[in-house]
């Protein structure tokens, strides 16, 4: 029971392929008190060096909830709600990403399904749409930080956005080069600050660093 718990917790929080030695280590911690203790198992996971390694940081695709919450936190926005239509906008958009909250497909919910569930053309389009929509909401405030992020160099804008999205060190040189080129092209074409902010946030949010957890 302790090994099963250890494996499932690690798969939920880190990645799907923990080694047997790692599972044994977490299971031992879970049984330290004489019976299975979930708190001790979680402490062992969250303080383990492997939990902060590259495999755990990029071992899973963020599910729609993790992705949307990450966007809202990055932009310091509350979840938008359309009072006129009585519509939870985020809930509506997440449906196309593959999750409808409180309507799980079975008793196991969503997380035990293959991660390819989150990787699809409609799902990715929904993620881009959501990132763009939230950026539009943010830029309606003339004092929002997102506007300030694009006033400096493309490099600083990307660093700030990836940092806000929780992936400050994960962006590859290729991703950064594409982002720099995009921002330079937008400026050359005469894009205003609002357009720059929205397009660059969409780019950062659609890149692999922001999709992985």
């Amino acid at each position: 029971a302790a090994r099963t718990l250890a494996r499932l917790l690690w798969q939920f929080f880190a990645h799907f392929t923990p080694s047997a030695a790692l599972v044994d280590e977490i299971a031992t911690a879970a049984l330290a008190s004489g019976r299975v203790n979930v708190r001790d198992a979680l402490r062992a996971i969250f303080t383990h060096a492997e939990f902060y390694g590259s495999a755990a940081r990029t071992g899973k695709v963020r599910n729609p909830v993790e992705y949307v919450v990450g966007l809202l936190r990055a932009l310091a926005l509350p979840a938008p709600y359309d009072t006129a239509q009585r519509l939870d906008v985020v809930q509506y958009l997440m449906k196309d990403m593959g999750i409808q909250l409180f309507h799980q497909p079975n008793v196991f919910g969503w997380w035990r399904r293959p991660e390819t569930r989150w990787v699809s053309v409609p799902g990715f389009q929904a993620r881009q749409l959501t990132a763009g929509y939230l950026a539009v909401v943010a830029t309606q405030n003339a004092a929002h930080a997102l506007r300030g992020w694009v006033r400096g160099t493309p490099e600083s804008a990307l660093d700030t956005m990836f940092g806000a999205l929780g992936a400050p060190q994960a962006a590859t040189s290729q991703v950064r080069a594409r982002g720099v080129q995009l921002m330079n092209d937008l400026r050359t074409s005469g894009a205003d600050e609002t357009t720059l902010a929205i397009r660059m946030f969409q780019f950062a949010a659609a890149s692999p660093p922001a999709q992985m957890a």
Side-chain angles (χ1 to χ4, degrees):
R3 294 189 84 258
T4 298
L5 174 68
R7 185 179 66 256
L8 290 177
L9 287 174
W10 184 269
Q11 289 176 335
F12 182 83
F13 288 106
H15 59 75
F16 288 105
T17 55
S19 65
L22 177 59
V23 171
D24 287 341
E25 188 176 342
I26 297 169
T28 299
L31 288 168
S33 64
R35 61 179 184 176
V36 176
N37 188 306
V38 175
R39 179 181 295 179
D40 290 342
L42 291 175
R43 182 181 294 109
I45 290 172
F46 297 148
T47 59
H48 201 286
E50 285 194 36
F51 185 73
Y52 299 94
S54 59
R57 285 185 61 85
T58 60
K60 296 176 66 179
V61 176
R62 290 182 180 179
N63 68 46
V65 176
E66 293 168 331
Y67 180 73
V68 171
V69 169
L71 297 181
L72 292 171
R73 290 183 65 182
L75 296 172
L77 291 176
Y81 183 83
D82 189 329
T83 54
Q85 300 186 47
R86 296 183 179 179
L87 176 66
D88 184 331
V89 179
V90 171
Q91 172 82 309
Y92 175 78
L93 292 170
M94 279 198 297
K95 284 179 62 177
D96 289 334
M97 297 183 207
I99 276 184
Q100 186 176 8
L101 290 178
F102 311 114
H103 295 277
Q104 61 268 29
N106 53 52
V107 294
F108 295 110
W110 298 273
W111 79 272
R112 293 187 68 178
R113 291 188 169 203
E115 287 214 297
T116 50
R117 177 179 178 83
W118 317 132
V119 184
S120 65
V121 173
F124 187 74
Q125 289 175 332
R127 290 182 181 225
Q128 281 194 307
L129 177 64
T130 302
Y133 171 79
L134 293 177
V136 169
V137 172
T139 54
Q140 288 174 351
N141 178 358
H144 194 280
L146 179 58
R147 291 180 172 274
W149 295 350
V150 297
R151 289 173 186 158
T153 65
E155 291 82 2
S156 66
L158 289 168
D159 285 341
T160 304
M161 289 185 187
F162 285 130
L165 289 165
Q169 306 299 327
T172 63
S173 57
Q174 185 179 25
V175 169
R176 291 182 180 278
R178 289 179 178 176
V180 169
Q181 184 63 53
L182 172 62
M183 190 162 174
N184 286 333
D185 288 345
L186 287 169
R187 282 177 167 168
T188 300
S189 67
D192 60 18
E193 184 178 89
T194 300
T195 302
L196 269 177
I198 294 170
R199 290 289 302 279
M200 291 307 298
F201 187 76
Q202 275 190 301
F203 170 84
S207 65
Q211 302 289 333
M212 307 301 286

